Amino acid sequence: MSLSSYAYLRVSSVDQSEDRQLMALGEKGVPKENIYTDKQSGKDFERPQYQRLLRRLRPGDLLYILSIDRLGRNYKEIQRQWQLLTKEKRIDICVLDMPLLDTRQGKDLMGTFIADLVLQILSFVAENERANIRKRQKQGIAAAQARGVRFGRPARPLPENYAKAYCLWKSGKLSGVAAARLCGMPLSSFRYRAAGYERGAKEQD
């Protein structure tokens, strides 16, 4: 019988809610002070609340997690942490959405084999999904950029006298340094904005 029960929750960012994972805990009876939540990516295990949890766990304790991807999304790291928790810390783990991953059940050779096999498959799927998410994000950004969507902070409005300074510079009547000074801009910013100004002028023609 376990000494204490714990739960570990993880969401990928601070604006996401852990309510769904808390609901899944249901009637497991985990004390509130034993529920640890990290709000960051699952790419590694350098998470403050997870590390605090590790320090508290004692042999015989029981840890609940909703799904294997809440533990992490790195295939090798999930395997290593599972070994750390079950072999070194000697605790039991119950993955709520995968009954086969409950180390309290089937502690014989066959049960252990099945659990290890399921863990390998699910941790591979978790990492593969993470890779697919990154791929879809890159594709989405590329598609948006192709449509003319710009990312990052909006550019500051050009000074009112920029057009005049630009024309004087372009015609050779002012040096780049003098034109930039006239606009109250660094030379690098003046030249960078010139490219966008030229594109805008061409589009209006």
Side-chain angles (χ1 to χ4, degrees):
M1 187 173 181
S2 61
L3 298 177
S4 300
S5 59
Y6 295 85
Y8 178 69
L9 317 178
R10 183 184 66 78
V11 291
S12 298
S13 60
V14 294
D15 59 347
Q16 290 184 335
S17 172
E18 64 273 21
D19 289 350
R20 185 174 71 90
Q21 295 174 68
L22 286 169
M23 287 177 62
L25 281 173
E27 302 298 322
K28 300 302 180 183
V30 180
K32 186 176 181 180
E33 65 272 16
N34 287 359
I35 298 176
Y36 291 79
T37 304
D38 277 309
K39 295 195 173 188
Q40 65 184 85
S41 167
K43 65 181 181 179
D44 59 48
F45 287 85
E46 295 304 316
R47 310 177 209 136
Q49 292 301 308
Y50 181 74
Q51 294 301 321
R52 283 186 61 199
L53 171 64
L54 286 182
R55 291 193 290 270
R56 283 197 63 188
L57 291 172
R58 297 292 180 266
D61 286 345
L62 171 62
L63 174 64
Y64 290 102
I65 56 175
L66 174 61
S67 58
I68 200 67
D69 66 346
R70 296 304 86 197
L71 186 61
R73 289 186 179 275
N74 182 300
Y75 175 73
K76 291 182 179 179
E77 276 298 301
I78 292 174
Q79 298 285 324
R80 196 180 77 80
Q81 291 299 315
W82 189 273
Q83 291 298 313
L84 169 67
L85 293 167
T86 60
K87 306 301 182 186
E88 297 180 29
K89 293 287 186 180
R90 291 182 291 155
I91 69 163
D92 280 312
I93 304 177
C94 176
V95 181
L96 296 175
D97 69 355
M98 182 54 62
L100 286 173
L101 288 180
D102 185 343
T103 60
R104 297 170 298 176
Q105 311 297 326
K107 289 184 178 290
D108 58 5
L109 183 61
M110 180 57 70
T112 302
F113 170 76
I114 292 174
D116 286 347
L117 182 61
V118 172
L119 173 65
Q120 289 186 41
I121 294 171
L122 291 180
S123 54
F124 170 77
V125 169
E127 179 166 339
N128 191 56
E129 176 60 16
R130 178 168 169 257
N132 286 335
I133 289 172
R134 289 200 304 267
K135 183 179 179 180
R136 289 194 293 269
Q137 287 174 336
K138 289 181 180 178
Q139 290 173 339
I141 291 171
Q145 289 175 333
R147 295 194 304 271
V149 176
R150 296 183 180 180
F151 295 90
R153 292 181 297 179
R156 290 181 179 179
L158 289 171
E160 291 183 2
N161 64 342
Y162 186 87
K164 180 180 179 180
Y166 171 84
C167 291
L168 291 171
W169 168 65
K170 203 68 175 176
S171 64
K173 295 179 181 179
L174 276 182
S175 67
V177 173
R181 187 180 300 118
L182 185 64
C183 294
M185 303 171 67
L187 177 59
S188 58
S189 297
F190 180 86
R191 288 178 170 170
Y192 174 78
R193 299 299 296 273
Y197 181 80
E198 289 170 1
R199 284 197 301 271
K202 288 178 181 179
E203 290 172 359
Q204 291 176 3
D205 289 343

